[in-house]
Amino acid sequence: MSATYQVTDGIAVITMNNPPVNGLGYDTRRGIADGLARAQDDAAVLAVVLTGAGRAFSGGADIREFDSPKATAEPNLLTLIKLVEASAKPVVAAIHTVCMGGGLELALGCHYRLASAGALIALPEVKLGLIPGAGGTQRLPRVLGVETALNMIATGEPVKSELLASQPGQKLFDQIVDGDLMTGVIAYAKSIAAVRPLPSVRDLKVRHPNPDAYLQFARNMVKGMSKNFPAPIACVEAVAASLKFKNLDDGLAEELRIFKGLMLTPECKALRHAFFGERAASKIPDVPEGTPLRAINKVGVIGAGTMGGGITMNFLNAGVPVTMLEMKADALERGVATIRKNYEAQVKKGKLKQDKYAQRMALLTTTLSYDDLKDADLIIEAVFEELGVKEAVFKQLDAVAKPGAILASNTSTLDVDKIAAFTGRPQDVVGMHFFSPANVMRLLEVVRGKATAKDVLATVMATAKKIKKTAVVSGVCDGFIGNRMIEQYSRQAGFLLDEGCTPAQVDRAAEKFGFAMGPFRMGDLAGNDIGWAIRKRRAVEHANMKYSKTADLLCELGRYGQKTGAGWYDYQAGKRDAIPSALVDQMIADHRKALGITPRKIADEEIVQRLVFSLVNEAAHLLEEGIANKASDIDMVYLTGYGFPLFRGGPLCYADTVGLYNVVTAMKRFAVNPLDDGAFWQPAPLLARLVAEGKSFT
């Protein structure tokens, strides 16, 4: 059952029981409503307690019912809250652990609210591009005051119950219960059972000493901090309605109007797509959820450079011991020094306590010998991106690693199946492609080889969650999901230079669209020599692949990017500001002249379409080939690893928003451009099929 009913000593206890967070799905709502009705009809019941089983009071709406008829079926949440408010017998909310979204709105409908210390309280709807839709924007200001309530609603961030209880004049909690919550709540319910009239949040007044000035200040602040996202400013307007309308029902009507309007926005669609996409990424079609996991109690990391050190920090942060291996003592010392420096910077900024820093460093051991990895459950190599180097590492690991140890490669482009073949245990080999800086970036591409065991895959996905990564499974191909797509994006950026753009113009257009940085700033940050090495390999393996020669010319000048102080842009020592380079602009102009190309003026719209639609077409190939399991996986790769704008939901969500017919129509225009790659712009079979059938990716 999704809600249970039990009467003890005159107190009816309704317990939401819908794991994992007691989402307010239809069956749960119905169970609460039925319980309330039973309590009203039972003369022996003096009061009602509403609580949640397990790890939450309630996390809000049941995400499994989003966009289904059950989500709004009666009794919907608004109806349920009215039933609670109208109860002739007092209803006491026993809040613990998690009380968020609709769960908090339901609690606000109760006559009394008691909470345990440490409970996380939030209205996080803004993170889905929405505002609370069941009274949160109208009732929370009545119990916490306008300013505290608006801050919670506009940010969506959770606040601990005891902190809210300490706010002067707060009426959210009647009591913070020390000791056993239910014992305290039942005793409290008995003590107030005869109190009449029953208190109601709807009867409280919303007050502020200078509402007009404060709301204008809030509007200015929120607009400045939430560019491209309409929900945060809508939160301000909804809270303003709690001041404007003296009658709660009028405020609720305004809240619902705003809520419904936001539901139709592309930003809301994008945020909801990302929300569900992140959760769906962990679901692998042929790997059952109950697959037994291998224990990961000790990790080995090979390589103490930037990537190896960052990977190591992820596990130290999660409390997992790490043995870090290098071939030379000085390289090992530099790696440890960098890890210490990173942690010390966090301590200095107040983001990490000194004792936590000490605990993490105590988990780190270093070695110059492979023999010291013999007890590791998971070993990740982060060595130079060259197959011969990987071969030497994996042959060593095969000799020393214990049976059942997972052997992972951090390769960003190389064939994981070839790497697995260097061992006698290919079933234990998997790709774990971290993104730099590995201790910061959320994305982890988990590369599934043809022999990778299902329990290895399940274990790595669970481990990713433990170290707070968004893991996406990719099949084996050159570049996997992210880098295979970014190559097409970068090729288009190069063609745009040939045809008349400057690096700064292309970057400005991409960043105006919403990318964290444009392709040329990104190249300078990653290192232009990395792309140069890939193009050299392409020249041997795929001689017909067409590129602009500008990037090679840049590297021939030694301009590898920020690490050399010069790339597509000039850089001043100690600074990361990208300064347009007259030398590079002249290099590009000379290259055009050598090719006999007359530069043309290119609009930002064309720049963005060529960059983004190249991602879309390559993504469609990845789906067709089975390299990616689903469209949302590809979008998660780009949202968490490549700076694609969150408010657009990822390349494929954005393509659906634009309309796939319109995407293909634009591609046909690009295909006839003699300076572009016409063959590439032929729609992938999946994309062509979706257009023909009037369907979408997502």
Side-chain angles (χ1 to χ4, degrees):
M1 293 180 66
S2 293
T4 60
Y5 180 88
Q6 184 176 1
V7 178
T8 303
D9 200 17
I11 304 299
V13 178
I14 301 172
T15 304
M16 294 174 276
N17 189 8
N18 184 18
V21 293
N22 297 319
L24 291 165
Y26 172 74
D27 290 341
T28 305
R29 299 194 306 271
R30 184 64 184 265
I32 296 169
D34 290 348
L36 285 169
R38 287 177 67 180
Q40 307 306 310
D41 293 341
D42 188 344
V45 170
L46 304 174
V48 180
V49 170
L50 177 63
T51 192
R55 298 182 295 167
F57 173 79
S58 173
D62 191 332
I63 64 173
R64 292 166 293 195
E65 292 184 1
F66 269 37
D67 294 325
S68 77
K70 282 189 173 183
T72 55
E74 294 287 2
N76 62 34
L77 185 53
L78 286 164
T79 298
L80 184 62
I81 292 170
K82 286 181 179 179
L83 291 174
V84 171
E85 273 189 325
S87 171
K89 299 175 182 180
V91 181
V92 184
I95 296 168
H96 64 91
T97 322
V98 171
C99 180
M100 296 186 182
L104 178 55
E105 291 175 304
L106 177 60
L108 286 167
C110 295
H111 304 111
Y112 301 93
R113 287 161 298 282
L114 278 68
S116 58
L120 295 176
I121 313 299
L123 289 172
E125 288 84 354
V126 70
K127 296 184 178 183
L128 295 181
L130 295 167
I131 64 168
T137 67
Q138 305 306 298
R139 290 188 176 92
L140 198 63
R142 285 171 159 79
V143 296
L144 285 179
V146 172
E147 295 189 21
T148 301
L150 179 54
N151 187 57
M152 287 182 64
I153 293 167
T155 65
E157 293 300 319
V159 183
K160 288 188 176 180
S161 53
E162 63 270 28
L163 180 59
L164 291 173
S166 69
Q167 300 293 311
Q170 71 85 27
K171 299 180 181 65
L172 175 57
F173 300 119
D174 295 280
Q175 193 178 108
I176 296 292
V177 177
D178 295 322
D180 182 70
L181 176 64
M182 289 307 295
T183 300
V185 170
I186 289 174
Y188 186 89
K190 290 178 181 178
S191 73
I192 54 83
V195 173
R196 296 295 184 276
L198 293 174
S200 176
V201 171
R202 70 164 43 242
D203 296 330
L204 300 175
K205 304 298 181 186
V206 185
R207 293 188 174 92
H208 192 281
N210 195 352
D212 292 340
Y214 171 70
L215 289 170
Q216 191 54 51
F217 165 77
R219 289 183 183 102
N220 294 339
M221 287 291 292
V222 169
K223 283 180 181 177
M225 297 174 65
S226 59
K227 183 182 177 183
N228 300 316
F229 293 94
I233 192 64
C235 290
V236 179
E237 301 309 330
V239 171
S242 73
L243 283 159
K244 177 181 178 182
F245 299 107
K246 303 306 178 188
N247 183 291
L248 178 76
D249 291 323
D250 291 337
L252 291 174
E254 179 65 6
E255 177 190 78
L256 190 58
R257 184 192 68 80
I258 295 171
F259 178 88
K260 288 181 175 178
L262 287 171
M263 282 285 287
L264 302 175
T265 64
E267 293 84 2
C268 177
K269 175 187 173 184
L271 290 171
R272 293 167 69 198
H273 173 71
F275 176 83
F276 288 112
E278 184 164 7
R279 282 146 187 81
S282 63
K283 294 175 173 58
I284 307 164
D286 64 334
V287 180
E289 286 194 32
T291 299
L293 305 181
R294 300 188 188 185
I296 304 295
N297 297 316
K298 186 176 181 182
V299 171
V301 174
I302 302 173
T306 301
M307 185 59 76
I311 292 170
T312 296
M313 288 180 69
N314 285 310
F315 290 96
L316 300 180
N317 296 348
V320 180
V322 178
T323 299
M324 191 163 67
L325 168 73
E326 258 292 356
M327 294 295 97
K328 295 182 179 179
D330 58 344
L332 203 52
E333 290 170 7
R334 283 195 303 272
V336 174
T338 300
I339 291 173
R340 287 190 179 280
K341 182 180 177 182
N342 288 338
Y343 279 139
E344 286 166 1
Q346 292 179 29
V347 171
K348 189 174 181 180
K349 293 176 182 176
K351 295 181 178 179
L352 182 68
K353 292 184 178 179
Q354 187 70 37
D355 61 334
K356 290 288 186 183
Y357 166 36
Q359 288 171 18
R360 292 177 184 182
M361 290 306 300
L363 293 169
L364 176 63
T365 57
T366 59
T367 184
L368 299 173
S369 171
Y370 274 88
D371 289 338
D372 291 328
L373 300 180
K374 64 180 181 297
D375 296 327
D377 303 300
L378 167 65
I379 304 172
I380 306 169
E381 66 78 12
V383 301
F384 188 69
E385 188 76 345
E386 201 276 320
L387 195 60
V389 178
K390 307 284 190 190
E391 179 178 4
V393 168
F394 275 83
K395 284 183 175 178
Q396 287 263 39
L397 290 179
D398 196 30
V400 303
K402 68 181 182 181
I406 297 174
L407 310 181
S409 174
N410 181 53
T411 180
S412 59
T413 56
L414 298 178
D415 189 329
V416 170
D417 290 329
K418 287 183 179 178
I419 293 172
F422 298 141
T423 76
R425 47 174 111 180
Q427 73 280 0
D428 295 333
V429 178
V430 67
M432 291 180 70
H433 177 210
F434 290 81
F435 285 70
S436 187
N439 55 305
V440 176
M441 296 294 286
R442 287 172 53 206
L443 177 62
L444 174 64
E445 274 187 319
V446 177
V447 186
R448 181 181 192 174
K450 63 184 178 184
T452 303
K454 291 182 180 180
D455 66 332
V456 167
L457 204 58
T459 300
V460 170
M461 296 300 281
T463 301
K465 188 174 182 180
K466 184 173 184 178
I467 61 173
K468 299 183 179 179
K469 298 296 181 188
T470 299
V472 176
V473 174
S474 171
V476 175
C477 69
D478 198 328
F480 316 130
I481 295 172
N483 283 342
R484 177 168 153 182
M485 288 169 61
I486 208 69
E487 183 171 16
Q488 301 302 337
Y489 174 90
S490 298
R491 283 209 307 146
Q492 286 302 313
F495 296 151
L496 287 163
L497 296 187
D498 289 348
E499 294 173 41
C501 290
T502 64
Q505 182 191 355
V506 175
D507 283 351
R508 277 196 305 270
E511 289 160 18
K512 186 177 179 182
F513 174 78
F515 277 100
M517 60 178 64
F520 297 106
R521 285 181 60 211
M522 181 180 69
D524 278 359
L525 178 64
N528 295 309
D529 52 325
I530 296 173
W532 196 21
I534 291 171
R535 289 190 299 277
K536 288 176 180 177
R537 180 160 58 87
R538 285 281 186 274
V540 175
E541 298 172 358
H542 303 284
N544 60 341
M545 182 77 85
K546 181 180 178 182
Y547 293 94
S548 165
K549 298 298 183 186
T550 50
D552 291 351
L553 294 172
L554 186 80
C555 290
E556 288 167 8
L557 295 174
R559 298 179 67 100
Y560 296 159
Q562 291 186 16
K563 60 187 174 185
T564 59
W568 294 105
Y569 296 91
D570 294 330
Y571 298 90
Q572 295 178 351
K575 297 183 179 180
R576 293 181 178 270
D577 299 332
I579 303 168
S581 170
L583 186 151
V584 170
D585 288 346
Q586 188 60 52
M587 178 199 79
I588 295 168
D590 291 344
H591 174 63
R592 286 190 204 114
K593 187 175 181 180
L595 293 177
I597 297 172
T598 301
R600 65 183 177 91
K601 189 174 182 178
I602 302 175
D604 285 358
E605 181 182 24
E606 180 182 341
I607 294 171
V608 168
Q609 287 185 344
R610 287 172 65 175
L611 294 175
V612 176
F613 294 170
S614 69
L615 296 175
V616 172
N617 201 36
E618 193 65 20
H621 283 294
L622 287 167
L623 289 168
E624 186 88 32
E625 296 165 21
I627 300 299
N629 290 322
K630 47 192 174 294
S632 61
D633 283 357
I634 292 173
D635 283 340
M636 292 315 303
V637 166
Y638 268 77
L639 291 173
T640 58
Y642 289 85
F644 198 92
L646 177 59
F647 67 94
R648 299 194 190 276
L652 299 185
C653 178
Y654 175 70
D656 286 346
T657 301
V658 171
L660 298 190
Y661 175 85
N662 296 323
V663 171
V664 169
T665 298
M667 288 169 56
K668 289 177 180 177
R669 292 199 307 271
F670 306 148
V672 298
N673 178 352
L675 299 178
D676 204 325
D677 182 351
F680 167 74
W681 286 117
Q682 299 307 309
L686 173 62
L687 179 54
R689 188 163 64 250
L690 291 173
V691 172
E693 296 173 358
K695 295 180 179 178
S696 64
F697 285 114
T698 60

